Amino acid sequence: MNPKIITESCLIDEILESRRKTFPSDSDFIGYRNHCLRMLNFVLYLSQPEADREEKIAIASAFHDLTIFPDRTVAYLEPAVKLANRYLISMNRQAWSSQIALMIQNHHKIRTYKGEFANLVESMRQADWIDVSFGKLRFGLPKTYIREVHQVFPVYSFYPSAIAKVLGSYAIAHPLHPLPNVRW
């Protein structure tokens, strides 16, 4: 039996609402929010329990791709880390800065992450690949669970609109260079 799907996160909503004006459209906002909530559910399923796990995942999920808006650039990981760090300082959670930074910096990593804070960093990496591949990559998650999460949080325009435009414009401008946000 699959775990219960978390259908809302006040923390994700609070973070995203504070940046709502940076989204080009309501559809982009909803699409990104749904991506964050899918990430939250997938990381919770994949990771082992630890202190403040859900809160850390929610923060990292909210910020991990947030700075792709409004500039639609592929060089958004470090700006996302800086934005998350400012948030953590404002919430007196700067002790989490290294862990959240690693979760954001490595969520596009191709190979398994085995460094510090591997539990959440690797689970975040796997969750993003699951979501981006529309469940073709599963890392042990049941197809039924992925389908259930996608039914609750549909894709909307986040991938087709935001990601496709960013990747397309980068590929045209830099056909021989790898994406700067993908790490080995």
Side-chain angles (χ1 to χ4, degrees):
M1 186 164 131
N2 294 329
K4 183 177 183 269
I5 295 171
I6 295 174
T7 59
E8 60 183 48
S9 167
C10 294
L11 188 51
I12 288 174
D13 286 343
E14 173 190 311
I15 292 167
L16 296 185
E17 280 296 335
S18 74
R19 306 266 310 162
R20 189 175 189 123
K21 291 180 183 175
T22 66
F23 289 88
S25 69
D26 284 341
S27 183
D28 285 321
F29 177 83
I30 293 166
Y32 184 66
R33 179 184 181 271
N34 285 356
H35 174 56
C36 294
L37 288 163
R38 288 190 304 270
M39 292 287 291
L40 174 66
N41 280 282
F42 295 158
V43 177
L44 282 170
Y45 191 105
L46 293 163
S47 63
Q48 297 300 312
E50 65 176 62
D52 304 306
R53 176 174 68 148
E54 188 172 331
E55 190 174 354
K56 290 174 183 176
I57 296 167
I59 293 167
S61 293
F63 284 105
H64 82 285
D65 288 332
L66 187 58
T67 53
I68 201 170
F69 302 100
D71 298 332
R72 297 190 188 253
T73 176
V74 294
Y76 63 87
L77 294 179
E78 290 311 313
V81 168
K82 288 178 184 172
L83 193 60
N85 280 335
R86 283 197 298 271
Y87 174 81
L88 290 168
I89 289 167
S90 75
M91 300 305 291
N92 200 27
R93 298 276 195 215
Q94 50 271 51
W96 298 353
S97 291
S98 295
Q99 187 173 23
I100 301 294
L102 287 168
M103 291 170 75
I104 293 169
Q105 291 165 335
N106 290 287
H107 80 274
H108 289 162
K109 190 174 186 318
I110 293 172
R111 294 187 182 132
T112 302
Y113 177 84
K114 297 178 182 176
E116 187 176 23
F117 306 115
N119 177 41
L120 293 184
V121 176
E122 176 60 10
S123 296
M124 179 96 169
R125 183 193 77 82
Q126 291 175 353
D128 197 62
W129 281 109
I130 291 166
D131 205 46
V132 169
S133 73
F134 300 100
K136 299 289 185 234
L137 298 172
R138 294 198 331 262
F139 300 98
L141 256 66
K143 286 181 188 180
T144 56
Y145 182 69
I146 295 168
R147 238 187 326 250
E148 289 169 10
V149 171
H150 273 97
Q151 286 173 344
V152 175
F153 303 110
V155 171
Y156 285 93
S157 70
F158 177 61
Y159 293 120
S161 173
I163 304 304
K165 288 177 184 175
V166 169
L167 294 178
S169 63
Y170 184 85
I172 291 168
H174 307 283
L176 302 176
H177 302 311
L179 292 167
N181 60 344
V182 176
R183 300 171 189 229
W184 291 101

